[in-house]
Amino acid sequence: MLWLQNILRTSEQVIMEMNLVRPVAAAMASILVAGRSFRKKSLDISGAIFAVFVMTIHITVNYRFAAILLAFFFTSSKLTKIGEDRKRKVDADFKDGGQRNWIQVLSNSGIATLLVLITWKLVGAHDYCLDAKESPLLTSLAGGIIGHYCCCNGDTWSSELGVLSDEQPRLITSFKPVRKGTNGGVTKAGLLAAAAGGSVIGLTFFLLGLVTTNCAFDVSKKQLFVIPLSALFGLCGSVIDSLLGATLQYSGFCTVRNKVVGKPGPTVKKISGLCILDNNAVNLLSILLTSLLSSIAFSYVF
């Protein structure tokens, strides 16, 4: 019996070491990514600190969830830097490289991080197939996380590429032409970009799943649906964001700065919206709604 006790004790030690290796490696990788982003001005110091925390959780719990987070972060950061000179002329709050702070990082990852932690509580760090018959709750949670990043990526792609379009934006609630930079202003190019941004999230999740999961044949065929669903929720998230921006977020034209601004003032002529939500609140609410809708859809489709 002594030899059996020694084997069990050794096994426990190995498991403990394995359990420690993954979060430590995740933290180191997160620090490298956040540090690089800070140097390139994609994040400020507060944003970098929160990014390390969020990325470490995602990488530790599930590689696919980490992959879609990184797909959103890297693609949106790249697009933010395209056409900076043109965006500087339009955006009253323009920052070189984007320089997202901790509030922006939290609003764009907080809900997903909570869902990731719930997933970890249920199945630990094991990946799984999307299968509502076998595991409805886990499939719904995955749908919420995917929908979250589809919304984030779709809205970012729409904003960053739409503003560069030569097309005149139209207010989503009335379809009247508005100035570039108006909250709730949409273009065809921007809506297409939103769908493309969402599809990138779905494609990333699907491709990595070919390596990290082993689904039954009938279940594996269904996994492809994650790509068109992601495109749909990238577009859906952007539309919800635009509707909230056009109604609950103030937009006005400042005759002194010659730009669209988000607060009323003596030199500002109102374009649309009410002073109820700021941009971070609009993003958070649109993410919450899109994540909820995506969670429901995944539980039905898969």
Short mmCIF file of all heavy atoms in Angstrom, two decimals, residues 202-265:
data_model
loop_
_atom_site.label_atom_id
_atom_site.label_comp_id
_atom_site.label_asym_id
_atom_site.label_seq_id
_atom_site.Cartn_x
_atom_site.Cartn_y
_atom_site.Cartn_z
N GLY A 202 -15.91 34.63 -35.14
CA GLY A 202 -16.43 33.28 -35.33
C GLY A 202 -15.43 32.36 -36.02
O GLY A 202 -15.30 31.19 -35.64
N LEU A 203 -14.74 32.89 -37.03
CA LEU A 203 -13.75 32.09 -37.75
C LEU A 203 -12.60 31.68 -36.83
O LEU A 203 -12.13 30.53 -36.87
CB LEU A 203 -13.22 32.88 -38.94
CG LEU A 203 -12.22 32.16 -39.86
CD1 LEU A 203 -12.88 30.94 -40.50
CD2 LEU A 203 -11.69 33.12 -40.92
N THR A 204 -12.16 32.60 -35.99
CA THR A 204 -11.09 32.31 -35.04
C THR A 204 -11.51 31.21 -34.07
O THR A 204 -10.76 30.26 -33.81
CB THR A 204 -10.71 33.57 -34.25
OG1 THR A 204 -10.28 34.59 -35.16
CG2 THR A 204 -9.60 33.29 -33.25
N PHE A 205 -12.71 31.33 -33.55
CA PHE A 205 -13.23 30.34 -32.60
C PHE A 205 -13.35 28.97 -33.25
O PHE A 205 -12.98 27.95 -32.66
CB PHE A 205 -14.60 30.80 -32.08
CG PHE A 205 -15.17 29.96 -30.98
CD1 PHE A 205 -14.80 30.17 -29.66
CD2 PHE A 205 -16.07 28.94 -31.26
CE1 PHE A 205 -15.32 29.39 -28.63
CE2 PHE A 205 -16.59 28.15 -30.25
CZ PHE A 205 -16.21 28.38 -28.93
N PHE A 206 -13.86 28.94 -34.48
CA PHE A 206 -14.06 27.67 -35.19
C PHE A 206 -12.73 26.99 -35.51
O PHE A 206 -12.56 25.79 -35.26
CB PHE A 206 -14.85 27.91 -36.47
CG PHE A 206 -14.90 26.71 -37.38
CD1 PHE A 206 -15.72 25.64 -37.08
CD2 PHE A 206 -14.10 26.66 -38.52
CE1 PHE A 206 -15.76 24.51 -37.91
CE2 PHE A 206 -14.13 25.54 -39.35
CZ PHE A 206 -14.96 24.47 -39.05
N LEU A 207 -11.79 27.74 -36.08
CA LEU A 207 -10.52 27.14 -36.51
C LEU A 207 -9.73 26.58 -35.33
O LEU A 207 -9.18 25.48 -35.41
CB LEU A 207 -9.68 28.18 -37.26
CG LEU A 207 -10.21 28.58 -38.64
CD1 LEU A 207 -9.32 29.66 -39.25
CD2 LEU A 207 -10.30 27.38 -39.57
N LEU A 208 -9.68 27.31 -34.23
CA LEU A 208 -8.94 26.81 -33.07
C LEU A 208 -9.64 25.60 -32.47
O LEU A 208 -8.98 24.69 -31.93
CB LEU A 208 -8.78 27.92 -32.04
CG LEU A 208 -7.78 27.64 -30.90
CD1 LEU A 208 -6.40 27.30 -31.47
CD2 LEU A 208 -7.69 28.83 -29.96
N GLY A 209 -10.95 25.55 -32.60
CA GLY A 209 -11.70 24.41 -32.09
C GLY A 209 -11.37 23.11 -32.78
O GLY A 209 -11.56 22.03 -32.22
N LEU A 210 -10.88 23.20 -34.03
CA LEU A 210 -10.47 21.99 -34.75
C LEU A 210 -9.31 21.31 -34.04
O LEU A 210 -9.10 20.10 -34.19
CB LEU A 210 -10.06 22.36 -36.18
CG LEU A 210 -11.16 22.93 -37.08
CD1 LEU A 210 -10.58 23.31 -38.44
CD2 LEU A 210 -12.32 21.96 -37.25
N VAL A 211 -8.55 22.09 -33.28
CA VAL A 211 -7.39 21.57 -32.56
C VAL A 211 -7.71 21.23 -31.11
O VAL A 211 -7.24 20.22 -30.57
CB VAL A 211 -6.22 22.58 -32.61
CG1 VAL A 211 -5.01 22.05 -31.84
CG2 VAL A 211 -5.85 22.91 -34.04
N THR A 212 -8.55 22.04 -30.48
CA THR A 212 -8.76 21.92 -29.03
C THR A 212 -9.94 21.05 -28.64
O THR A 212 -10.13 20.75 -27.46
CB THR A 212 -8.95 23.31 -28.40
OG1 THR A 212 -10.12 23.94 -28.99
CG2 THR A 212 -7.73 24.19 -28.64
N THR A 213 -10.79 20.66 -29.61
CA THR A 213 -11.95 19.84 -29.26
C THR A 213 -12.00 18.59 -30.15
O THR A 213 -11.38 18.54 -31.22
CB THR A 213 -13.27 20.61 -29.45
OG1 THR A 213 -13.41 21.01 -30.83
CG2 THR A 213 -13.31 21.84 -28.57
N ASN A 214 -12.78 17.62 -29.71
CA ASN A 214 -12.98 16.38 -30.48
C ASN A 214 -14.47 16.08 -30.47
O ASN A 214 -14.98 15.36 -29.61
CB ASN A 214 -12.17 15.24 -29.86
CG ASN A 214 -12.27 13.96 -30.67
OD1 ASN A 214 -12.60 13.99 -31.85
ND2 ASN A 214 -12.01 12.83 -30.02
N CYS A 215 -15.18 16.65 -31.43
CA CYS A 215 -16.64 16.54 -31.47
C CYS A 215 -17.07 15.31 -32.25
O CYS A 215 -16.38 14.85 -33.17
CB CYS A 215 -17.24 17.77 -32.14
SG CYS A 215 -16.72 19.35 -31.45
N ALA A 216 -18.23 14.80 -31.90
CA ALA A 216 -18.86 13.75 -32.71
C ALA A 216 -19.18 14.31 -34.09
O ALA A 216 -19.34 15.53 -34.26
CB ALA A 216 -20.13 13.25 -32.03
N PHE A 217 -19.28 13.44 -35.09
CA PHE A 217 -19.42 13.89 -36.48
C PHE A 217 -20.62 14.81 -36.68
O PHE A 217 -20.53 15.87 -37.30
CB PHE A 217 -19.51 12.69 -37.43
CG PHE A 217 -19.65 13.09 -38.87
CD1 PHE A 217 -18.59 13.65 -39.56
CD2 PHE A 217 -20.87 12.91 -39.54
CE1 PHE A 217 -18.72 14.02 -40.89
CE2 PHE A 217 -21.01 13.28 -40.86
CZ PHE A 217 -19.93 13.84 -41.55
N ASP A 218 -21.79 14.42 -36.16
CA ASP A 218 -22.99 15.22 -36.34
C ASP A 218 -22.88 16.56 -35.63
O ASP A 218 -23.39 17.58 -36.10
CB ASP A 218 -24.24 14.46 -35.87
CG ASP A 218 -24.16 14.07 -34.41
OD1 ASP A 218 -23.03 13.87 -33.92
OD2 ASP A 218 -25.22 13.98 -33.75
N VAL A 219 -22.18 16.58 -34.50
CA VAL A 219 -21.98 17.84 -33.76
C VAL A 219 -20.94 18.72 -34.45
O VAL A 219 -21.10 19.94 -34.51
CB VAL A 219 -21.53 17.54 -32.31
CG1 VAL A 219 -21.21 18.83 -31.56
CG2 VAL A 219 -22.62 16.77 -31.58
N SER A 220 -19.90 18.09 -35.00
CA SER A 220 -18.82 18.85 -35.63
C SER A 220 -19.32 19.64 -36.84
O SER A 220 -18.85 20.73 -37.12
CB SER A 220 -17.68 17.92 -36.04
OG SER A 220 -18.10 17.01 -37.04
N LYS A 221 -20.30 19.08 -37.57
CA LYS A 221 -20.85 19.80 -38.74
C LYS A 221 -21.54 21.09 -38.30
O LYS A 221 -21.48 22.10 -39.01
CB LYS A 221 -21.84 18.90 -39.48
CG LYS A 221 -21.20 17.71 -40.19
CD LYS A 221 -22.22 16.99 -41.07
CE LYS A 221 -23.35 16.39 -40.25
NZ LYS A 221 -24.31 15.63 -41.10
N LYS A 222 -22.19 21.04 -37.15
CA LYS A 222 -22.90 22.23 -36.67
C LYS A 222 -21.96 23.36 -36.26
O LYS A 222 -22.37 24.52 -36.23
CB LYS A 222 -23.78 21.86 -35.48
CG LYS A 222 -25.06 21.12 -35.83
CD LYS A 222 -25.93 20.97 -34.60
CE LYS A 222 -27.27 20.37 -34.93
NZ LYS A 222 -28.14 20.28 -33.72
N GLN A 223 -20.71 23.02 -35.92
CA GLN A 223 -19.79 24.04 -35.43
C GLN A 223 -19.55 25.14 -36.46
O GLN A 223 -19.22 26.27 -36.12
CB GLN A 223 -18.45 23.41 -35.03
CG GLN A 223 -18.55 22.26 -34.04
CD GLN A 223 -19.27 22.62 -32.75
OE1 GLN A 223 -18.84 23.50 -32.00
NE2 GLN A 223 -20.39 21.95 -32.49
N LEU A 224 -19.73 24.81 -37.75
CA LEU A 224 -19.55 25.80 -38.82
C LEU A 224 -20.53 26.97 -38.71
O LEU A 224 -20.24 28.07 -39.17
CB LEU A 224 -19.70 25.13 -40.19
CG LEU A 224 -18.46 24.47 -40.78
CD1 LEU A 224 -18.83 23.62 -41.97
CD2 LEU A 224 -17.44 25.54 -41.17
N PHE A 225 -21.68 26.73 -38.09
CA PHE A 225 -22.69 27.78 -37.97
C PHE A 225 -22.21 28.96 -37.12
O PHE A 225 -22.81 30.03 -37.15
CB PHE A 225 -23.99 27.22 -37.39
CG PHE A 225 -24.79 26.39 -38.35
CD1 PHE A 225 -24.96 25.04 -38.14
CD2 PHE A 225 -25.36 26.96 -39.47
CE1 PHE A 225 -25.68 24.26 -39.02
CE2 PHE A 225 -26.09 26.20 -40.37
CZ PHE A 225 -26.26 24.84 -40.14
N VAL A 226 -21.14 28.74 -36.36
CA VAL A 226 -20.64 29.82 -35.52
C VAL A 226 -20.15 31.00 -36.36
O VAL A 226 -20.21 32.16 -35.91
CB VAL A 226 -19.51 29.31 -34.58
CG1 VAL A 226 -18.22 29.09 -35.34
CG2 VAL A 226 -19.28 30.27 -33.44
N ILE A 227 -19.72 30.75 -37.59
CA ILE A 227 -19.19 31.82 -38.44
C ILE A 227 -20.29 32.77 -38.93
O ILE A 227 -20.21 33.98 -38.71
CB ILE A 227 -18.37 31.25 -39.61
CG1 ILE A 227 -17.21 30.41 -39.07
CG2 ILE A 227 -17.85 32.38 -40.50
CD1 ILE A 227 -16.45 29.66 -40.14
N PRO A 228 -21.35 32.26 -39.60
CA PRO A 228 -22.42 33.20 -39.99
C PRO A 228 -23.15 33.83 -38.80
O PRO A 228 -23.56 35.00 -38.87
CB PRO A 228 -23.38 32.32 -40.82
CG PRO A 228 -23.06 30.92 -40.45
CD PRO A 228 -21.60 30.90 -40.12
N LEU A 229 -23.27 33.07 -37.70
CA LEU A 229 -23.89 33.66 -36.51
C LEU A 229 -23.06 34.82 -35.97
O LEU A 229 -23.60 35.85 -35.55
CB LEU A 229 -24.06 32.59 -35.42
CG LEU A 229 -25.29 31.67 -35.52
CD1 LEU A 229 -25.21 30.59 -34.45
CD2 LEU A 229 -26.58 32.47 -35.39
N SER A 230 -21.76 34.66 -36.01
CA SER A 230 -20.87 35.72 -35.53
C SER A 230 -20.95 36.95 -36.42
O SER A 230 -20.93 38.09 -35.92
CB SER A 230 -19.42 35.20 -35.47
OG SER A 230 -19.30 34.16 -34.53
N ALA A 231 -21.04 36.74 -37.73
CA ALA A 231 -21.22 37.87 -38.64
C ALA A 231 -22.52 38.60 -38.33
O ALA A 231 -22.58 39.85 -38.30
CB ALA A 231 -21.21 37.38 -40.08
N LEU A 232 -23.58 37.82 -38.07
CA LEU A 232 -24.88 38.40 -37.74
C LEU A 232 -24.81 39.24 -36.47
O LEU A 232 -25.33 40.36 -36.43
CB LEU A 232 -25.91 37.29 -37.57
CG LEU A 232 -27.30 37.71 -37.07
CD1 LEU A 232 -27.98 38.64 -38.06
CD2 LEU A 232 -28.17 36.48 -36.80
N PHE A 233 -24.13 38.72 -35.44
CA PHE A 233 -24.10 39.44 -34.17
C PHE A 233 -23.06 40.57 -34.17
O PHE A 233 -23.15 41.48 -33.35
CB PHE A 233 -23.90 38.47 -33.02
CG PHE A 233 -25.15 37.70 -32.70
CD1 PHE A 233 -25.27 36.36 -33.05
CD2 PHE A 233 -26.23 38.34 -32.13
CE1 PHE A 233 -26.45 35.67 -32.79
CE2 PHE A 233 -27.41 37.65 -31.87
CZ PHE A 233 -27.53 36.32 -32.21
N GLY A 234 -22.10 40.51 -35.08
CA GLY A 234 -21.24 41.67 -35.28
C GLY A 234 -22.06 42.83 -35.83
O GLY A 234 -21.96 43.98 -35.36
N LEU A 235 -22.91 42.53 -36.81
CA LEU A 235 -23.80 43.54 -37.38
C LEU A 235 -24.84 43.98 -36.36
O LEU A 235 -25.11 45.18 -36.21
CB LEU A 235 -24.49 42.96 -38.62
CG LEU A 235 -25.53 43.85 -39.31
CD1 LEU A 235 -24.89 45.15 -39.80
CD2 LEU A 235 -26.17 43.09 -40.48
N CYS A 236 -25.42 43.02 -35.66
CA CYS A 236 -26.45 43.31 -34.66
C CYS A 236 -25.90 44.23 -33.57
O CYS A 236 -26.55 45.20 -33.18
CB CYS A 236 -26.94 42.01 -34.05
SG CYS A 236 -28.15 42.20 -32.74
N GLY A 237 -24.70 43.94 -33.09
CA GLY A 237 -24.09 44.76 -32.05
C GLY A 237 -23.86 46.18 -32.51
O GLY A 237 -24.10 47.14 -31.76
N SER A 238 -23.42 46.34 -33.75
CA SER A 238 -23.18 47.68 -34.30
C SER A 238 -24.49 48.46 -34.44
O SER A 238 -24.54 49.66 -34.14
CB SER A 238 -22.49 47.56 -35.66
OG SER A 238 -22.24 48.83 -36.21
N VAL A 239 -25.54 47.78 -34.87
CA VAL A 239 -26.85 48.43 -35.03
C VAL A 239 -27.40 48.86 -33.67
O VAL A 239 -27.92 49.98 -33.51
CB VAL A 239 -27.84 47.49 -35.75
CG1 VAL A 239 -29.26 48.05 -35.68
CG2 VAL A 239 -27.42 47.30 -37.21
N ILE A 240 -27.30 47.97 -32.67
CA ILE A 240 -27.77 48.32 -31.33
C ILE A 240 -26.98 49.51 -30.79
O ILE A 240 -27.55 50.44 -30.21
CB ILE A 240 -27.64 47.11 -30.38
CG1 ILE A 240 -28.62 46.01 -30.77
CG2 ILE A 240 -27.89 47.53 -28.92
CD1 ILE A 240 -28.45 44.72 -29.99
N ASP A 241 -25.68 49.49 -30.97
CA ASP A 241 -24.83 50.59 -30.53
C ASP A 241 -25.25 51.89 -31.20
O ASP A 241 -25.31 52.97 -30.56
CB ASP A 241 -23.37 50.27 -30.85
CG ASP A 241 -22.40 51.28 -30.26
OD1 ASP A 241 -22.20 52.34 -30.89
OD2 ASP A 241 -21.84 51.04 -29.17
N SER A 242 -25.54 51.83 -32.49
CA SER A 242 -25.94 53.03 -33.23
C SER A 242 -27.30 53.55 -32.76
O SER A 242 -27.50 54.77 -32.64
CB SER A 242 -25.99 52.73 -34.73
OG SER A 242 -24.70 52.41 -35.22
N LEU A 243 -28.23 52.64 -32.49
CA LEU A 243 -29.55 53.05 -32.01
C LEU A 243 -29.45 53.75 -30.65
O LEU A 243 -30.09 54.78 -30.42
CB LEU A 243 -30.48 51.84 -31.90
CG LEU A 243 -31.00 51.26 -33.23
CD1 LEU A 243 -31.69 49.92 -32.99
CD2 LEU A 243 -31.97 52.25 -33.89
N LEU A 244 -28.63 53.17 -29.76
CA LEU A 244 -28.43 53.80 -28.45
C LEU A 244 -27.71 55.13 -28.59
O LEU A 244 -28.05 56.11 -27.91
CB LEU A 244 -27.62 52.86 -27.55
CG LEU A 244 -28.30 51.55 -27.13
CD1 LEU A 244 -27.30 50.64 -26.41
CD2 LEU A 244 -29.49 51.84 -26.23
N GLY A 245 -26.73 55.17 -29.47
CA GLY A 245 -25.98 56.41 -29.68
C GLY A 245 -26.83 57.52 -30.26
O GLY A 245 -26.66 58.70 -29.91
N ALA A 246 -27.76 57.17 -31.13
CA ALA A 246 -28.61 58.17 -31.77
C ALA A 246 -29.68 58.72 -30.85
O ALA A 246 -30.18 59.84 -31.06
CB ALA A 246 -29.28 57.57 -33.01
N THR A 247 -30.03 57.97 -29.81
CA THR A 247 -31.15 58.36 -28.94
C THR A 247 -30.73 58.79 -27.54
O THR A 247 -31.27 59.77 -26.99
CB THR A 247 -32.16 57.20 -28.83
OG1 THR A 247 -31.47 56.02 -28.38
CG2 THR A 247 -32.81 56.92 -30.18
N LEU A 248 -29.79 58.06 -26.94
CA LEU A 248 -29.44 58.30 -25.54
C LEU A 248 -28.07 58.95 -25.34
O LEU A 248 -27.67 59.20 -24.21
CB LEU A 248 -29.48 56.97 -24.76
CG LEU A 248 -30.81 56.22 -24.78
CD1 LEU A 248 -30.71 54.93 -23.98
CD2 LEU A 248 -31.94 57.10 -24.24
N GLN A 249 -27.37 59.21 -26.44
CA GLN A 249 -26.05 59.84 -26.37
C GLN A 249 -26.09 61.14 -27.17
O GLN A 249 -26.51 61.16 -28.33
CB GLN A 249 -24.99 58.89 -26.93
CG GLN A 249 -23.56 59.37 -26.75
CD GLN A 249 -22.55 58.35 -27.27
OE1 GLN A 249 -22.92 57.31 -27.82
NE2 GLN A 249 -21.28 58.64 -27.10
N TYR A 250 -25.63 62.20 -26.58
CA TYR A 250 -25.71 63.52 -27.21
C TYR A 250 -24.67 63.68 -28.32
O TYR A 250 -23.51 63.26 -28.18
CB TYR A 250 -25.50 64.61 -26.16
CG TYR A 250 -25.60 66.02 -26.70
CD1 TYR A 250 -26.83 66.66 -26.77
CD2 TYR A 250 -24.46 66.70 -27.13
CE1 TYR A 250 -26.93 67.96 -27.26
CE2 TYR A 250 -24.55 67.99 -27.62
CZ TYR A 250 -25.79 68.62 -27.68
OH TYR A 250 -25.88 69.90 -28.17
N SER A 251 -25.10 64.29 -29.42
CA SER A 251 -24.18 64.70 -30.49
C SER A 251 -24.52 66.13 -30.89
O SER A 251 -25.70 66.48 -31.08
CB SER A 251 -24.32 63.79 -31.72
OG SER A 251 -23.83 62.51 -31.47
N GLY A 252 -23.49 66.95 -30.99
CA GLY A 252 -23.68 68.32 -31.43
C GLY A 252 -22.48 68.80 -32.20
O GLY A 252 -21.38 68.24 -32.08
N PHE A 253 -22.67 69.87 -33.01
CA PHE A 253 -21.58 70.40 -33.80
C PHE A 253 -21.05 71.68 -33.18
O PHE A 253 -21.80 72.64 -32.97
CB PHE A 253 -22.03 70.68 -35.23
CG PHE A 253 -20.92 71.18 -36.11
CD1 PHE A 253 -19.92 70.33 -36.55
CD2 PHE A 253 -20.88 72.52 -36.49
CE1 PHE A 253 -18.89 70.79 -37.35
CE2 PHE A 253 -19.86 72.99 -37.29
CZ PHE A 253 -18.85 72.13 -37.73
N CYS A 254 -19.76 71.66 -32.83
CA CYS A 254 -19.13 72.83 -32.23
C CYS A 254 -18.60 73.73 -33.34
O CYS A 254 -17.75 73.32 -34.14
CB CYS A 254 -17.98 72.39 -31.31
SG CYS A 254 -17.11 73.78 -30.54
N THR A 255 -19.10 74.96 -33.40
CA THR A 255 -18.71 75.88 -34.46
C THR A 255 -17.29 76.43 -34.25
O THR A 255 -16.69 76.95 -35.20
CB THR A 255 -19.70 77.06 -34.51
OG1 THR A 255 -19.78 77.67 -33.20
CG2 THR A 255 -21.09 76.59 -34.91
N VAL A 256 -16.76 76.31 -33.03
CA VAL A 256 -15.40 76.78 -32.75
C VAL A 256 -14.38 75.71 -33.14
O VAL A 256 -13.41 75.98 -33.85
CB VAL A 256 -15.24 77.16 -31.27
CG1 VAL A 256 -13.78 77.53 -30.96
CG2 VAL A 256 -16.15 78.32 -30.91
N ARG A 257 -14.61 74.50 -32.69
CA ARG A 257 -13.69 73.40 -32.99
C ARG A 257 -13.95 72.80 -34.37
O ARG A 257 -13.11 72.06 -34.89
CB ARG A 257 -13.82 72.30 -31.93
CG ARG A 257 -13.52 72.79 -30.51
CD ARG A 257 -13.71 71.69 -29.49
NE ARG A 257 -12.73 70.62 -29.66
CZ ARG A 257 -12.71 69.51 -28.94
NH1 ARG A 257 -13.63 69.32 -28.00
NH2 ARG A 257 -11.79 68.59 -29.16
N ASN A 258 -15.11 73.10 -34.93
CA ASN A 258 -15.50 72.57 -36.24
C ASN A 258 -15.53 71.04 -36.24
O ASN A 258 -15.12 70.39 -37.21
CB ASN A 258 -14.55 73.09 -37.33
CG ASN A 258 -15.17 72.99 -38.72
OD1 ASN A 258 -16.39 73.15 -38.88
ND2 ASN A 258 -14.35 72.71 -39.73
N LYS A 259 -16.04 70.49 -35.14
CA LYS A 259 -16.11 69.04 -34.99
C LYS A 259 -17.40 68.66 -34.27
O LYS A 259 -18.01 69.48 -33.57
CB LYS A 259 -14.93 68.51 -34.17
CG LYS A 259 -13.58 68.59 -34.86
CD LYS A 259 -12.49 68.01 -33.96
CE LYS A 259 -11.14 68.06 -34.64
NZ LYS A 259 -10.06 67.52 -33.78
N VAL A 260 -17.80 67.39 -34.43
CA VAL A 260 -18.92 66.84 -33.66
C VAL A 260 -18.42 66.52 -32.26
O VAL A 260 -17.38 65.88 -32.09
CB VAL A 260 -19.47 65.57 -34.33
CG1 VAL A 260 -20.56 64.94 -33.44
CG2 VAL A 260 -20.05 65.89 -35.71
N VAL A 261 -19.16 66.98 -31.25
CA VAL A 261 -18.77 66.77 -29.85
C VAL A 261 -19.89 66.05 -29.10
O VAL A 261 -21.03 65.98 -29.58
CB VAL A 261 -18.43 68.10 -29.15
CG1 VAL A 261 -17.21 68.75 -29.80
CG2 VAL A 261 -19.63 69.05 -29.19
N GLY A 262 -19.55 65.55 -27.92
CA GLY A 262 -20.51 64.75 -27.16
C GLY A 262 -21.16 65.47 -26.01
O GLY A 262 -21.89 64.84 -25.23
N LYS A 263 -20.91 66.76 -25.87
CA LYS A 263 -21.51 67.53 -24.77
C LYS A 263 -22.05 68.85 -25.29
O LYS A 263 -21.45 69.48 -26.17
CB LYS A 263 -20.47 67.79 -23.68
CG LYS A 263 -19.99 66.53 -22.97
CD LYS A 263 -18.98 66.86 -21.88
CE LYS A 263 -18.50 65.61 -21.17
NZ LYS A 263 -17.50 65.91 -20.12
N PRO A 264 -23.20 69.30 -24.74
CA PRO A 264 -23.75 70.59 -25.17
C PRO A 264 -22.91 71.75 -24.65
O PRO A 264 -22.14 71.60 -23.70
CB PRO A 264 -25.15 70.59 -24.54
CG PRO A 264 -25.05 69.67 -23.37
CD PRO A 264 -24.05 68.62 -23.74
N GLY A 265 -23.04 72.90 -25.28
CA GLY A 265 -22.30 74.08 -24.87
C GLY A 265 -22.79 75.30 -25.64
O GLY A 265 -23.60 75.17 -26.57
#
